[in-house]
Amino acid sequence: MSKLRFRVVEEAYNRKAVDVAIPTERPNQYYGKYVFNRQKMAQYLPQSVYDALVNAIDNKESLSRDIADSVAEGMKRWAIDNGARHYSHWFHPLTDGTAEKHDAFIDLDGKGGVVEEFSGKLLVQQEPDASSFPNGGIRNTFEARGYSVWDISSPAFILGKTLCIPTIFISYTGESLDYKAPLLRAINSVDKAATGVAQYFDPNVKHVTSFLGWEQEYFLVDESLYSARPDLVMTGRTLMGHESAKNQQLEDHYFGAIPSRVDAFMLDLEIECHKLGIPAKTRHNEVAPNQFELAPIFEETNLANDHNLLLMSLMAEVARRHNFRILLHEKPFAGVNGSGKHNNWSLGTDTGIQLFAPGKTPIGNLQFITFVVNVMAAVHRHNGLLKASIMSATNCHRLGANEAPPAIISIFLGKQLSEILEKVENSTNDELFNVSGKEGLSLGMSQIPEIMVDNTDRNRTSPFAFTGNRFEFRAVGSSANCASAMIALNAAVAEQLNYFKEKVDSRIANGEKLNHALLEEIKKLISQSKAIHFDGNGYSNEWKEEAARRGLDCETNAAKIFDAYLSEQSIEMFRKAGVFTKIELEARNEVKWEMYTKKIQIEARVLGDLAINHVVPVAMRYQSILVDNVLKLRTLFSGEKGETMSTQDVNTIESIASHVSKTKDEVAKMIEARKVANRIECEREKALAYHDTVVPCMEKIREYIDDLELMVDNEIWPLPKYRELLFIR
Ligand code: ADP
Ligand code: MG
């Protein structure tokens, strides 16, 4: 066994960087090569079809069947010209990944041969078997129909030899079975609501776009080491492993030099990204050893999310070419930082205004404050829901752990913005609009743009931070579909902006001036949503107590956190935004609980197996070597002398024996707890049982095994250790 460990460690340490096939062209020549973007559309579609398609995309209109046929024909020609042989509707089922079902372009020609065909009908709609995807009981297998429907707002692309068409996935009765359909609905609702409010400041605004710039954190592990760790292979995280003597305490990894093997991987990945139109831009080391980050230039939220999902599958593929495995799990290694996927989110108008960026004029600043304050109010009202939107069996290891955002949602504003809001709250209208020249509101706001855009006042401990011209939702997990967070956030903000507009409109109807009406409502919101504002250290224990006093949601049990989706106010909010019906919410929660249970179930099985079949036998082998030694010592040196010489060994034998027996007991207990939990029918109750009875056993087992790792002879320890897994050479 240990032979395997030493072989894989040697293999990993000897590995050299893989050569990357760097294109001879510059990025601007291959960027978007495999994307059916507007340039390809213009090239492959008749002018009238191109115009109709672009119009439908820009104005969110539907396409006629004729046009769809024409688009399909052009798309097929482009795809075939680029080597595609199959096409697939590409969608985001309620797993953390994407789904594809490939069909060849071929059709029988009636003369014993085939033609390559692709019709508008196949482009627009298909019928994958919905019963095989998580659906929370909306589908039963007898009525398994589900439809995937073309999302014209996200361009088709070629992956390998397959033309992929982004689609939404809905049931026969119209309920969404995916992340994309509700995301599109949430984006629409925030578009409408924000446009209404933005028109107070500029009547020419017709649309507001939601933007997303995700930062993807990940770990890399050498593939030989990875395959010698069944826990990594099966669950994506290490279920055991004693902390390495050195990990991140010297803070020497963050922004450090990138190892050459990793550098090659990143370059290769970026080239692939660019060919697929993913604007990958930034890369750096992260805090933990072997941890890295990739960030693109932000894009419209739906497209950005498609790109993130595509990136996650590209990463896995490219990593293999470099003899790495990618770990997207939120907490692959205990004791070092976990991985998140910071969601940088903003709203912008079609007139080019970033609504969370301070303005250059008094009115611009009033608009900025209006939008920021409404976000605060929305996040305050729905803080429990926003937490639920990022919660999962994997992310809960990261939230609430001491080096991660806590399982409490709060907003960081920074010193300047906090001061400005305080000033607004305590000011009178006369003061504020006593404007001299073009300087700005008399808040000293003329200085805002310069200072705030360069907001260096970063607080890494906040789960939701204002960062100069956007909000950064940091609590999102590295393996998650960003849509979950983006659906809740955009819909919640839409609801709040609608409330706000109703109130302001009614003040205006009562004869108040617009600015006065806006300011009065802004002041109310500032004072009402104070509880969500926290600029201090989010990792501290004092904050947990303080947050509870403020009435923020402090629940840490993932299975209970999901309940927030089914509160009256969430159901109402999603209904009004047209994002989810109550039935959809209930079904989706069933899926969440089921997923939670299944992930822990798999981990528990793997852990039980590793404990009993890998670790315990090795520990017992070492124990018997020691026993042998003690007996021999005592034979050689009789009496007190022999006893003294073997005392340490006897202690170790006792300790090993006790750890082994406790491990066995705990594994038996864990198996029993699983059996009991598995008999529970209600998904929520089952998830709770897993949380309350299975997880604690797993934690204890790990503790015993990690102790054993320090006692047992290194030569025979079966699994690669943290110090071997974590430092790529
Ligand atoms: P950090 O310093 O937080 O690590 P990064 O440069 O790694 O920042 O990532 C910042 C992300 O935020 C990028 O994806 C960037 O495109 C995105 N971003 C910048 N401005 C905006 C904005 N206005 N709206 C949404 N995302 C934005
Ligand atoms: Mg970053």
Side-chain angles (χ1 to χ4, degrees):
M1 280 254 247
S2 64
K3 279 202 195 109
L4 169 70
R5 183 174 137 234
F6 286 110
R7 183 174 61 74
V8 294
V9 169
E10 195 178 336
E11 240 172 55
Y13 286 5
N14 285 335
R15 212 133 20 210
K16 299 277 175 295
V18 172
D19 282 338
V20 179
I22 299 171
T24 47
E25 308 109 312
R26 297 300 304 167
N28 65 346
Q29 288 164 296
Y30 59 79
Y31 189 85
K33 182 174 177 194
Y34 295 125
V35 185
F36 195 60
N37 53 22
R38 291 191 183 195
Q39 183 209 339
K40 314 299 170 21
M41 289 176 193
Q43 201 181 329
Y44 281 88
L45 303 178
Q47 184 68 44
S48 60
V49 175
Y50 173 85
D51 291 341
L53 180 57
V54 166
N55 176 58
I57 294 170
D58 289 346
N59 300 309
K60 304 183 178 174
E61 283 168 16
S62 52
L63 276 185
S64 74
R65 179 63 194 275
D66 283 358
I67 299 288
D69 276 335
S70 248
V71 175
E73 179 54 32
M75 206 186 265
K76 180 199 75 184
R77 274 197 301 118
W78 167 75
I80 289 174
D81 283 355
N82 283 282
R85 305 177 70 87
H86 290 75
Y87 62 88
S88 170
H89 273 196
W90 183 79
F91 55 100
H92 318 165
L94 297 174
T95 54
D96 286 332
T98 55
E100 305 158 24
K101 171 173 163 252
H102 298 187
D103 283 300
F105 283 116
I106 58 164
D107 210 347
L108 299 176
D109 68 356
K111 295 176 224 151
V114 291
V115 283
E116 289 198 291
E117 261 185 355
F118 188 48
S119 66
K121 183 165 164 273
L122 291 171
L123 168 63
V124 172
Q125 186 174 319
Q126 293 193 17
E127 254 184 72
D129 180 353
S131 63
S132 317
F133 294 100
N135 56 59
I138 283 182
R139 313 293 322 133
N140 61 49
T141 36
F142 303 104
E143 220 197 81
R145 265 178 304 176
Y147 295 117
S148 55
V149 183
W150 182 27
D151 167 19
I152 61 171
S153 64
S154 181
F157 54 89
I158 297 170
L159 201 56
K161 300 259 179 270
T162 303
L163 168 68
C164 295
I165 299 148
T167 54
I168 60 166
F169 185 38
I170 53 173
S171 77
Y172 180 59
T173 39
E175 287 90 8
S176 61
L177 298 174
D178 70 345
Y179 284 108
K180 193 190 251 288
L183 179 64
L184 289 169
R185 293 179 197 150
I187 290 171
N188 270 335
S189 79
V190 84
D191 173 5
K192 287 208 190 76
T195 300
V197 174
Q199 282 172 347
Y200 287 138
F201 305 92
D202 177 2
N204 295 319
V205 172
K206 289 196 184 60
H207 282 294
V208 169
T209 305
S210 160
F211 292 105
L212 167 63
W214 38 263
E215 298 165 57
Q216 178 73 55
E217 294 179 341
Y218 59 94
F219 279 82
L220 286 172
V221 177
D222 182 88
E223 70 175 7
S224 302
L225 296 170
Y226 172 92
S227 42
R229 290 285 312 217
D231 47 356
L232 278 182
V233 175
M234 312 286 276
T235 74
R237 76 174 177 113
T238 53
L239 298 170
M240 57 184 66
H242 197 281
E243 231 178 279
S244 158
K246 172 184 188 294
N247 48 48
Q248 63 189 40
Q249 67 273 54
L250 298 178
E251 297 177 344
D252 51 355
H253 190 66
Y254 193 53
F255 283 10
I258 298 172
S260 58
R261 283 185 64 196
V262 178
D263 191 62
F265 158 77
M266 287 175 165
L267 181 62
D268 206 355
L269 177 63
E270 284 154 4
I271 293 168
E272 295 287 338
C273 281
H274 291 164
K275 286 183 185 163
L276 281 160
I278 304 172
K281 183 168 168 75
T282 307
R283 46 148 107 153
H284 56 79
N285 286 2
E286 263 303 329
V287 174
N290 282 21
Q291 193 189 22
F292 308 93
E293 178 187 297
L294 180 150
I297 299 169
F298 68 97
E299 301 177 284
E300 178 275 314
T301 297
N302 175 41
L303 184 61
N305 191 43
D306 279 357
H307 281 162
N308 180 248
L309 289 160
L310 194 50
L311 173 91
M312 290 197 284
S313 47
L314 276 180
M315 284 178 133
E317 193 188 309
V318 177
R320 281 174 184 241
R321 292 213 283 266
H322 293 261
N323 307 112
F324 282 129
R325 290 302 157 93
I326 193 113
L327 304 179
L328 292 175
H329 193 288
E330 283 77 3
K331 196 75 180 175
F333 302 98
V336 296
N337 268 32
S339 299
K341 177 149 50 196
H342 300 178
N343 277 204
N344 293 269
W345 170 81
S346 68
L347 296 173
T349 67
D350 57 345
T351 54
I353 301 297
Q354 289 280 335
L355 292 167
F356 303 134
K360 293 197 167 59
T361 60
I363 197 77
N365 277 328
L366 186 59
Q367 168 161 272
F368 159 65
I369 289 172
T370 300
F371 277 89
V372 165
V373 164
N374 274 286
V375 170
M376 285 179 69
V379 174
H380 181 219
R381 180 176 309 114
H382 293 289
N383 72 88
L385 173 68
L386 287 167
K387 181 163 70 184
S389 79
I390 51 93
M391 189 43 70
S392 66
T394 52
N395 204 19
C396 65
H397 290 285
R398 177 175 158 263
L399 294 162
N402 59 353
E403 73 279 7
I408 301 166
I409 301 294
S410 63
I411 299 189
F412 168 84
L413 293 177
K415 194 159 166 280
Q416 278 132 2
L417 188 51
S418 304
E419 278 172 12
I420 288 166
L421 294 189
E422 206 180 305
K423 220 165 170 182
V424 172
E425 194 193 353
N426 300 319
S427 63
T428 66
N429 277 288
D430 290 349
E431 260 177 77
L432 282 171
F433 282 96
N434 203 353
V435 185
S436 56
K438 293 198 186 77
E439 284 305 287
L441 296 179
S442 46
L443 281 167
M445 282 202 200
S446 53
Q447 305 98 301
I448 302 175
E450 289 75 26
I451 311 169
M452 299 246 290
V453 168
D454 183 30
N455 189 348
T456 47
D457 193 6
R458 293 296 189 85
N459 181 332
R460 298 258 160 215
T461 67
S462 175
F464 199 100
F466 177 74
T467 50
N469 61 356
R470 59 188 186 270
F471 286 93
E472 190 172 337
F473 195 0
R474 300 214 185 97
V476 181
S478 48
S479 71
N481 186 322
C482 305
S484 179
M486 288 294 108
I487 292 165
L489 179 61
N490 284 290
V493 169
E495 176 194 54
Q496 172 54 38
L497 288 168
N498 284 330
Y499 281 148
F500 182 79
K501 186 164 168 20
E502 270 170 36
K503 300 233 167 89
V504 172
D505 283 351
S506 95
R507 281 177 182 271
I508 294 172
N510 288 333
E512 281 181 38
K513 284 227 174 77
L514 172 64
N515 284 348
H516 183 266
L518 287 169
L519 268 165
E520 286 307 307
E521 288 305 322
I522 288 172
K523 283 195 219 172
K524 269 203 331 216
L525 290 182
I526 296 175
S527 97
Q528 280 164 14
S529 40
K530 282 226 167 85
I532 198 72
H533 176 198
F534 179 66
D535 279 8
N537 178 6
Y539 295 177
S540 68
N541 282 327
E542 297 82 68
W543 168 233
K544 285 183 199 155
E545 289 158 23
E546 167 71 16
R549 273 197 297 277
R550 293 186 186 190
L552 298 179
D553 189 318
C554 297
E555 180 61 61
T556 57
N557 178 341
K560 285 188 186 160
I561 286 172
F562 296 144
D563 290 345
Y565 271 103
L566 296 175
S567 74
E568 287 288 315
Q569 72 172 13
S570 299
I571 293 172
E572 186 56 11
M573 184 277 285
F574 281 127
R575 187 190 63 75
K576 282 187 297 192
V579 171
F580 291 125
T581 61
K582 190 173 174 199
I583 292 177
E584 284 172 310
L585 286 170
E586 282 167 349
R588 295 169 90 92
N589 258 26
E590 290 288 296
V591 175
K592 285 181 201 295
W593 284 313
E594 200 182 322
M595 283 291 162
Y596 178 85
T597 298
K598 282 184 179 162
K599 290 220 167 138
I600 295 174
Q601 189 176 52
I602 293 169
E603 288 188 349
R605 284 178 179 158
V606 173
L607 182 61
D609 169 39
L610 286 178
I612 300 301
N613 303 321
H614 290 61
V615 174
V616 164
V618 168
M620 286 167 55
R621 184 148 35 113
Y622 185 55
Q623 181 186 305
S624 92
I625 292 173
L626 290 178
V627 170
D628 203 39
N629 189 45
V630 170
L631 294 179
K632 283 175 182 161
L633 275 175
R634 290 186 179 179
T635 319
L636 200 57
F637 306 99
S638 59
E640 206 171 312
K641 188 170 183 193
E643 272 181 30
T644 313
M645 290 180 84
S646 55
T647 313
Q648 290 296 346
D649 282 351
V650 172
N651 290 345
T652 310
I653 291 166
E654 265 193 317
S655 186
I656 291 179
S658 132
H659 276 75
V660 162
S661 106
K662 283 193 280 190
T663 303
K664 286 183 184 166
D665 285 352
E666 208 60 35
V667 169
K669 221 172 115 187
M670 175 177 75
I671 292 171
E672 188 49 37
R674 247 169 34 218
K675 278 189 191 152
V676 173
N678 289 344
R679 283 196 289 268
I680 301 173
E681 283 206 2
C682 165
E683 292 295 350
R684 181 181 182 277
E685 293 304 315
K686 196 191 286 185
L688 283 178
Y690 264 85
H691 176 276
D692 295 341
T693 64
V694 179
V695 170
C697 295
M698 293 176 65
E699 283 166 359
K700 280 204 190 132
I701 295 168
R702 175 179 190 143
E703 224 173 89
Y704 302 142
I705 294 179
D706 289 357
D707 281 353
L708 282 169
E709 189 185 317
L710 291 188
M711 290 185 248
V712 172
D713 180 3
N714 181 56
E715 284 277 323
I716 58 172
W717 190 255
L719 303 169
K721 297 184 173 183
Y722 268 28
R723 64 164 190 264
E724 292 154 346
L725 290 167
L726 270 173
F727 298 90
I728 293 170
R729 317 215 155 183

